[in-house]
Amino acid sequence: MASAKYIFVTGGVTSSLGKGIIAASLGNLLQARGYRVTIQKFDPYINIDPGTLNPYEHGECYVTEDGAETDLDLGHYERFLNIQTSQANNVTTGRIYNNVITKERRGDYLGKTVQVIPHITDEIKHNVYRLGETGNYDIVITEIGGCVGDIESLPFIEAVRQAKFEVGESNCIVVHLTLVPYLKAAKELKTKPTQHSVKQLLEAGIQPDILVCRAEKSIPNDIRKKLALFCNVQLNSVIEALDAETIYDVPLHMRKEKLDERVLTKLRLPHKEQPNIDDWREFLGRLKNPTNEVTIGLVGKYVELPDAYKSIAEAFIHAGAHLECKVNIQWISSETINAKSARRSLSDLDGVLVAPGFGERGIEGKIETIKYVRENNIPFFGICLGMQCAVVEFARNVLNLEGAASTELNKETQHPVIDLMEDQKSIEDYGGTMRLGAYDCKLAKGSKAYSAYGKAKIQERHRHRYEFNNNYLKDFENAGMKAVGLNPDSGLVEIVEIPEHPYFVGTQFHPELKSTVMNPHPIFVSFISAVVKNQRK
């Protein structure tokens, strides 16, 4: 076993308490002390990955540099730690069972009866240790999805118990996130849900080392003592996690509660040096004290669940803080936009982003949106399907190609300006079969994209099947829409611009996936900067 230390973050009482934010905040603080940290997420659902899940089911699908379709918590990990994650950082029950069944069919188990213990739990542990054994990390944080007590989480909890037994108490700890609700009628914080949650962990053979308690109101010392006594943890290991103004406040809250010190003490690691979080404080200072304010319309079809566009919303926060500008997002369902309603919905906005997505629903609304902002000089930014809709709109209304469309939505169109790549046309499975992960892009000098990046060659992450049809490229460029970013190997169009417009940029890739607190994405920065400039005219 390599010398990496392991931290498991479990959750109880209810889902959506913020295990991902707590894990990312702890990782941020440990990293700020000089430790090499990575975080992984274990999800208990049976899908191989979230790639085929409806965003209403699970929020956005986050794509890593190596093309893995993963849980949105990996986005938090990258944004907070400014690191790149990979396929190894997100594992589902489906992947675990798939791996075990593949091994069984191959004869790896030598005729043994394949069981949850030891085979499933061994596969889970293998994925826990995998990152620690690379020698690249001092600490590996593993977030266990779902709640303690969920039937689908049991193999993961058992694997945590075994891992703690195998690597030893000083090399592995469990941080349990729980809820301490406040009952208004009784005017009391109640500890019973936490006690029951810890009891379920104990029944599974795991004693949590640290409790992180979500609460609406500050937890007084007598309640902390009660939690410590009944949950069998030290008093200074009962950590308060109050609701925060922004998720980016959480690392500072956890620092104030000394979560990082408690973790390092239990892992027997030095912690005399204070964490260097000055840059983080500066970011928060700019975020909370803006000098400008803009309103951006985010037009998509999943707007009822903002988590479906989580990375885009966070990228706006990063870019806004960088420019000391508050970015207000107005969530607009593309299904509500038509030729008559476009002016009413869009005229008061400072800029518009047309969001990515799949499928036919809401497409015409996106196209009407783009027509309105193009004709009325409102700064526009389109991502993936948003860029493809911009191409379709331009083909219909500038090139006068009647019925122009993407073949994703109309296979019989006479003008397939967006079409499948040849090597995609025979694919029947949906999972993991798109153009995924990082691809090179060469930028045209003098373009807005080149000005934003400040260099000619970039690399960005993709998640799509359909591409700009290069048979129409000359017609588009002659009419004023330029292909300013091309893949140097395939010649596929990556970025389109209308140079005469105040700001009209569409990207085939997903720039939001690479935006972090310390490195806001250049395209988002250039878009907000153009919005502010246009606002002042």
Side-chain angles (χ1 to χ4, degrees):
M1 207 70 64
S3 58
K5 306 270 188 175
Y6 297 93
I7 302 169
F8 292 98
V9 179
T10 59
V13 184
T14 179
S15 59
S16 301
L17 286 182
K19 290 192 300 295
I21 300 299
I22 292 297
S25 298
L26 174 58
N28 176 289
L29 292 171
L30 296 174
Q31 191 185 59
R33 288 178 177 272
Y35 291 102
R36 299 171 301 160
V37 182
T38 191
I39 314 181
Q40 59 182 173
K41 172 80 181 282
F42 282 10
D43 269 311
Y45 52 76
I46 298 175
N47 304 63
I48 297 287
D49 58 45
T52 56
L53 285 175
N54 186 313
Y56 283 133
E57 289 274 335
H58 208 69
E60 78 171 0
C61 175
Y62 187 82
V63 178
T64 59
E65 202 78 356
D66 63 349
E69 294 176 288
T70 69
D71 184 78
L72 64 80
D73 274 331
L74 269 71
H76 292 314
Y77 306 161
E78 292 203 5
R79 287 188 282 272
F80 275 62
L81 273 67
N82 204 35
I83 60 169
Q84 288 184 359
T85 54
S86 69
Q87 179 69 75
N89 293 78
N90 190 201
V91 180
T92 68
T93 292
R95 190 174 296 281
I96 294 292
Y97 273 83
N98 189 53
N99 291 350
V100 169
I101 291 167
T102 300
K103 289 177 183 177
E104 186 273 331
R105 293 288 81 189
R106 205 167 54 209
D108 290 11
Y109 299 120
L110 301 174
K112 288 187 180 295
T113 302
V114 179
Q115 297 175 289
V116 173
I117 301 171
H119 302 102
I120 296 298
T121 50
D122 281 354
E123 183 68 21
I124 293 170
K125 287 185 295 179
H126 166 72
N127 281 276
V128 169
Y129 300 143
R130 190 170 154 196
L131 288 168
E133 289 170 347
T134 62
N136 297 329
Y137 306 107
D138 303 311
I139 299 169
V140 176
I141 301 174
T142 303
E143 177 193 345
I144 307 295
C147 277
V148 171
D150 292 349
I151 196 165
E152 60 263 38
S153 296
L154 289 174
F156 290 103
I157 298 300
E158 169 60 18
V160 171
R161 184 195 69 78
Q162 292 179 19
K164 196 168 184 181
F165 177 76
E166 287 173 4
V167 302
E169 292 287 328
S170 63
N171 294 315
C172 175
I173 64 168
V174 174
V175 177
H176 188 55
L177 177 63
T178 182
L179 179 68
V180 179
Y182 179 75
L183 297 187
K184 287 183 181 178
K187 294 185 171 58
E188 281 185 309
L189 287 164
K190 301 307 254 182
T191 64
K192 197 63 72 178
T194 295
Q195 291 179 47
H196 282 299
S197 178
V198 171
K199 184 183 176 186
Q200 284 192 302
L201 262 185
L202 288 168
E203 286 174 354
I206 298 172
Q207 166 64 55
D209 299 279
I210 296 171
L211 288 182
V212 178
C213 303
R214 282 294 306 272
E216 293 177 45
K217 294 185 178 287
S218 187
I219 303 174
N221 209 43
D222 61 324
I223 298 291
R224 293 197 194 211
K225 284 181 179 177
K226 187 176 180 181
L227 285 165
L229 177 64
F230 283 96
C231 299
N232 201 30
V233 298
Q234 294 168 319
L235 178 60
N236 59 4
S237 292
V238 178
I239 305 294
E240 175 186 271
L242 294 175
D243 296 347
E245 183 184 345
T246 164
I247 59 172
Y248 299 110
D249 281 324
V250 178
L252 299 188
H253 289 186
M254 292 301 99
R255 174 70 198 114
K256 185 180 176 185
E257 284 287 302
K258 299 184 179 179
L259 173 61
D260 52 328
E261 289 185 24
R262 295 306 303 148
V263 164
L264 292 172
T265 297
K266 289 185 175 296
L267 291 175
R268 298 183 188 173
L269 288 170
H271 56 273
K272 289 182 181 178
E273 287 186 22
Q274 295 298 304
N276 182 7
I277 50 179
D278 291 344
D279 289 346
W280 198 269
R281 290 186 195 277
E282 284 177 25
F283 159 75
L284 281 171
R286 291 193 304 273
L287 177 65
K288 294 182 178 183
N289 299 283
T291 56
N292 291 304
E293 188 169 346
V294 298
T295 300
I296 304 296
L298 191 154
V299 180
K301 66 176 182 177
Y302 304 115
V303 293
E304 293 88 352
L305 183 73
D307 270 3
Y309 304 112
K310 189 66 177 174
S311 291
I312 293 174
E314 299 307 312
F316 275 132
I317 290 173
H318 307 154
H322 180 76
L323 297 167
E324 296 183 6
C325 177
K326 182 180 181 182
V327 180
N328 300 306
I329 298 178
Q330 192 167 316
W331 304 89
I332 302 170
S333 171
S334 55
E335 292 181 277
T336 66
I337 305 288
N338 54 47
K340 291 181 179 178
S341 69
R343 181 177 184 82
R344 182 175 67 251
S345 301
L346 307 170
S347 60
D348 292 335
L349 299 171
D350 299 310
V352 169
L353 182 143
V354 174
F358 294 92
E360 190 174 358
R361 185 167 63 87
I363 286 290
E364 292 302 322
K366 290 183 176 184
I367 291 170
E368 283 295 339
T369 296
I370 294 163
K371 182 176 187 286
Y372 183 85
V373 299
R374 180 180 58 79
E375 293 177 346
N376 290 276
N377 289 327
I378 297 173
F380 163 79
F381 182 18
I383 297 176
C384 198
L385 183 60
M387 172 239 179
Q388 294 175 3
C389 287
V391 169
V392 170
E393 188 280 325
F394 196 86
R396 290 180 186 178
N397 300 313
V398 178
L399 296 178
N400 296 315
L401 301 176
E402 190 176 340
S406 164
T407 53
E408 178 184 11
L409 311 169
N410 179 5
K411 287 182 169 56
E412 307 304 320
T413 178
Q414 289 189 315
H415 299 291
V417 290
I418 302 293
D419 199 5
L420 266 181
M421 296 179 286
E422 282 302 318
D423 59 355
Q424 290 279 334
K425 290 185 178 178
S426 60
I427 288 175
E428 293 181 6
D429 287 346
Y430 283 109
T433 57
M434 294 178 278
R435 187 149 75 105
L436 287 164
Y439 286 83
D440 291 337
C441 175
K442 190 173 181 183
L443 303 177
K445 291 187 177 179
S447 64
K448 287 185 174 71
Y450 183 87
S451 299
Y453 284 96
K455 56 186 178 182
K457 190 177 180 183
I458 60 168
Q459 205 174 57
E460 291 286 358
R461 299 181 197 175
H462 292 249
R463 184 177 183 249
H464 60 95
R465 281 189 187 82
Y466 291 79
E467 305 281 355
F468 185 99
N469 187 340
N470 281 359
N471 293 331
Y472 291 88
L473 185 53
K474 279 190 179 178
D475 293 337
F476 273 83
E477 297 212 311
N478 290 337
M481 180 178 275
K482 308 293 184 186
V484 300
L486 297 174
N487 182 284
D489 301 316
S490 63
L492 293 170
V493 173
E494 303 279 20
I495 309 176
V496 296
E497 289 182 9
I498 299 178
E500 307 307 316
H501 195 275
Y503 194 93
F504 193 103
V505 174
T507 66
Q508 182 66 84
F509 52 80
H510 289 259
E512 73 275 14
L513 299 176
K514 293 184 78 167
S515 185
T516 70
V517 168
M518 293 297 117
N519 287 298
H521 197 281
I523 294 271
F524 277 86
V525 172
S526 72
F527 175 52
I528 297 303
S529 184
V531 168
V532 171
K533 185 178 177 182
N534 195 63
Q535 190 187 49
R536 290 171 176 167
K537 284 184 179 177

